[in-house]
Amino acid sequence: MNALPVPILTAVLVLSACSGLPERRVPVEIAVAVPTSYPPSVGDRSTATLGDDWWTAFGDPALSAWMTRGLAYNSDLSIAAARVLEAGALAQQAGAERLPQLGAFLGATRQRALLPQGGVPASAVSESGQVGVSASWELDLWGRLALQDAAARQRYLAEGYTLTAVRLSVTAELVRGYLQVQTLDAQRQVLQDNRALLSESLALNERRYQLGSISELDVQRARAELADTEAQLADITRSLRISERALAVLAGDWPAEALPRPVAPLDELPELPPVPVGLPAALLDRRPDLRAAEALLQAQQADVGAARRALLPTVALSGRFGGASPDLSALLRDPLTIWSVGADLLQVVFDGGRRRAGIAGAEARATQALERYARAARGAYGEVLDALETRRAAAAVRDARSRQAAALAVAERLAQRRYEEGYSAYLELLDARRSRLQARLAVAQARSAEVDAYVRLITALGGGWQAADIDRLQ
C-alpha cells in the first residue's frame, strides 16, 4: 500500500475540518489564569521568525533530505492521517442524520390461495405489485441532531490537530535522531584520532625502552591507555550503529548495515535564531495538542447538550408516492396511483433512568475534558519555561566546554614538551591526554545538548514563531 502524502494531507484535512465549525471558546477559567508573558530572564530580545520548516535553520541539506523522507513515510504520521480520515467519515455520518432519507421501493407478489366458497374446495392465482419512492425526515426541533453533528466535527478537528502534533513530534525526533548520529560519529572520530596518537606514542615508548631511555612502567601505562581508548571506541561504534538504525526506522526505512542517506559531519553550531523575550502565553494556542484538547472539550460539551435534548420528544415526517396494480404486466404501464403522508410524535415515558444516566455520564466526561485541557495548558507553559532555561544553560555549558578543551590542548602540548625534555614522568603526560580526550568528547556532547534544547523549545512553542504573531498577541 502506498504511503499517504502526509505533509499535504495535514493542511488539507485540518482546513476542511474547520469548515462550518462554531467559533472557538476557550474556557474563561483557563483564559484568565494563563500568564500573559514569560519571565524576561529566560530569553533574548529579538524579533526573529521561524516557520514550520524550522529545521532549515541548521543549514544542513543532509538533514533536510532525512526530514523529507520521514514526513512522507513515517508510520506514526500515516496512522494519524488515517485517523483523521476515519473521524471525517464519522462527521459525515453525523451530518447526514440531519437530512431527509430518500428511498425507492419495488415489490411484486404472485400467489395461489383458496377461494372463500362452499362445496368443493377451489383455488385461484392472484398477483399484485407496487413501485414508487419514499421519504422520511426527523425534524430537529430541539437541536439534538445539530449538537451531535457539531460534536462529530469537533472530534474531526481534534484529529486534524493531533495529526499536526504528531508531525511536529516526528520532525523533532528526526532532528534528535540525526543529531545523535552526528554526535556519536564525532565522538568516534575523536577516539579514532586518540587511538592513532596513542599507537604512535606506544611505538615510540617501546623504542625508547629498548634503548634504555625509559622504564617498562611507561610502556605498560601507554599500552593500558591505548586499550582503554579501544574499548571506548568499540562502545561508541556500537551506540552509533544502533542510533543509525533507529534513525532509518523513524524515517520509514528498513534498518540495514548502511544508512540510505548520508549524515553530515558535526561542525560548529550555526547561528540559530534567538528566542524573543516575553513571548505571550497566548502563543501557546499555536500548540496543536492544546488545540486538539480544546476541540475535544467542545465536543464533550456538545454531547452534554445532545444528551439533555434526548429527554424531549422526537418528531418525524414520512411519505410514500408510487403506483400499484393487480396485474404485474401493467405495473409500469398503467398503475394505480397510491400515496401516503404521515407524522409521528414519540415521547419516551419510562426508560429506567437510562437517559438521565446518559446526561450524567456526558457531564462527567465534559468535566474530565476540561481538566485535561487545563492540565495540558499548565504543562505547556511549564515546558516552554523549562526549554528556555535549558537552552540558555546549554549554551553556557558549550561555551565553557569549548574553553576547557582549548586550555587542555595547550596543557597537553606543555606536558608533551616537559616529558620529552625529562622534566616530568610519563604519567603526567597521560593525565593531560586523558583530560583533553574527555574534554573533546564533552564538547561534542555539549553541542548536542544545545541543539536538543533548541529543538525542545521549538516543540514546546508549537513549531516555531512568527514576528507577526508576536506583535498581534502582545
Side-chain angles (χ1 to χ4, degrees):
M1 183 176 62
N2 295 330
L4 292 172
V6 177
I8 300 176
L9 190 63
T10 301
V12 173
L13 292 181
V14 170
L15 289 177
S16 63
C18 294
S19 177
L21 288 172
E23 185 179 355
R24 288 184 60 201
R25 296 189 304 273
V26 178
V28 177
E29 56 269 37
I30 296 178
V32 299
V34 175
T36 58
S37 64
Y38 300 115
S41 60
V42 294
D44 304 318
R45 184 163 297 281
S46 171
T47 59
T49 63
L50 200 63
D52 289 336
D53 55 345
W54 50 268
W55 55 87
T56 58
F58 296 102
D60 189 341
L63 173 60
S64 297
W66 278 98
M67 301 299 287
T68 300
R69 169 73 186 187
L71 289 176
Y73 296 102
N74 179 267
S75 296
D76 291 336
L77 277 174
S78 297
I79 292 171
R83 289 181 61 88
V84 175
L85 295 176
E86 178 189 7
L90 294 176
Q92 186 175 5
Q93 288 179 359
E97 293 294 329
R98 303 176 61 187
L99 302 176
Q101 307 294 311
L102 300 178
F105 60 90
L106 172 64
T109 302
R110 180 179 176 84
Q111 64 179 358
R112 177 182 290 274
L114 292 174
L115 296 177
Q117 64 183 16
V120 180
S123 64
V125 176
S126 64
E127 58 184 21
S128 64
Q130 292 185 351
V131 63
V133 295
S134 62
S136 61
W137 184 24
E138 180 180 345
L139 299 180
D140 192 21
L141 299 179
W142 325 116
R144 178 179 58 85
L145 297 178
L147 286 169
Q148 291 177 347
D149 182 26
R153 287 185 289 127
Q154 288 288 1
R155 290 187 173 90
Y156 181 26
L157 180 62
E159 290 296 342
Y161 281 125
T162 300
L163 172 59
T164 306
V166 172
R167 180 183 185 275
L168 177 59
S169 176
V170 167
T171 56
E173 290 301 320
L174 279 168
V175 173
R176 291 195 190 101
Y178 182 89
L179 176 64
Q180 179 71 7
V181 172
Q182 276 189 324
T183 302
L184 291 172
D185 187 61
Q187 291 178 333
R188 184 182 64 166
Q189 186 61 50
V190 169
L191 290 170
Q192 287 175 339
D193 294 344
N194 193 62
R195 180 181 62 179
L197 177 62
L198 290 176
S199 297
E200 294 177 0
S201 178
L202 175 60
L204 178 61
N205 282 351
E206 288 176 340
R207 289 195 298 270
R208 295 180 66 184
Y209 170 67
Q210 293 172 358
L211 295 174
S213 301
I214 60 174
S215 67
E216 185 181 359
L217 178 62
D218 289 345
V219 176
Q220 296 302 329
R221 282 174 172 167
R223 288 175 178 169
E225 192 70 15
L226 176 59
D228 180 68
T229 297
E230 289 176 341
Q232 293 184 60
L233 180 59
D235 189 57
I236 284 290
T237 302
R238 174 191 61 82
S239 299
L240 175 61
R241 295 294 175 251
I242 292 175
S243 296
E244 287 177 341
R245 286 190 283 270
L247 177 61
V249 171
L250 189 60
D253 289 313
W254 285 91
E257 280 298 318
L259 287 177
R261 278 163 297 283
V263 173
L266 184 67
D267 298 322
E268 283 299 314
L269 185 68
E271 188 66 26
L272 298 174
V275 180
V277 168
L279 287 174
L283 192 60
L284 291 179
D285 287 344
R286 296 184 66 253
R287 282 183 53 137
D289 58 336
L290 287 182
R291 297 298 297 271
E294 178 186 319
L296 288 176
L297 172 60
Q298 294 191 28
Q300 294 292 353
Q301 292 172 341
D303 285 341
V304 172
R308 289 172 178 169
R309 285 161 176 78
L311 296 174
L312 302 175
T314 59
V315 178
L317 302 179
S318 62
R320 292 165 62 94
F321 179 83
S325 174
D327 183 3
L328 292 179
S329 62
L331 177 61
L332 299 178
R333 186 179 66 255
D334 187 22
L336 299 174
T337 301
I338 59 173
W339 59 269
S340 67
V341 177
D344 296 315
L345 176 66
L346 176 62
Q347 173 64 62
V348 177
V349 179
F350 176 77
D351 62 1
R354 180 178 59 84
R355 288 175 298 161
R356 295 287 181 182
I359 295 174
E363 291 175 342
R365 287 190 292 271
T367 301
Q368 297 172 41
L370 176 61
E371 290 302 321
R372 281 193 292 266
Y373 180 64
R375 180 183 61 188
R378 291 191 296 268
Y381 184 76
E383 287 175 9
V384 174
L385 286 179
D386 293 344
L388 287 168
E389 186 64 38
T390 301
R391 186 185 177 222
R392 185 180 65 170
V397 169
R398 188 176 77 95
D399 179 68
R401 291 299 187 189
S402 298
R403 288 185 281 108
Q404 178 193 33
L408 289 174
V410 175
E412 182 188 6
R413 290 195 298 270
L414 294 176
Q416 180 73 35
R417 184 183 307 169
R418 284 172 55 82
Y419 174 69
E420 292 174 350
E421 294 176 354
Y423 290 112
S424 63
Y426 186 65
L427 181 61
E428 180 178 312
L429 176 58
L430 284 181
D431 287 339
R433 285 177 175 173
R434 189 180 300 113
S435 297
R436 189 195 176 198
L437 170 64
Q438 297 304 320
R440 292 179 66 189
L441 295 175
V443 167
Q445 191 61 44
R447 191 265 190 189
S448 175
E450 185 176 9
V451 177
D452 182 74
Y454 191 78
V455 172
R456 292 184 184 279
L457 174 59
I458 292 173
T459 305
L461 291 173
W465 54 88
Q466 299 289 338
D469 295 334
I470 298 170
D471 294 340
R472 175 177 55 83
L473 293 170
Q474 284 177 333

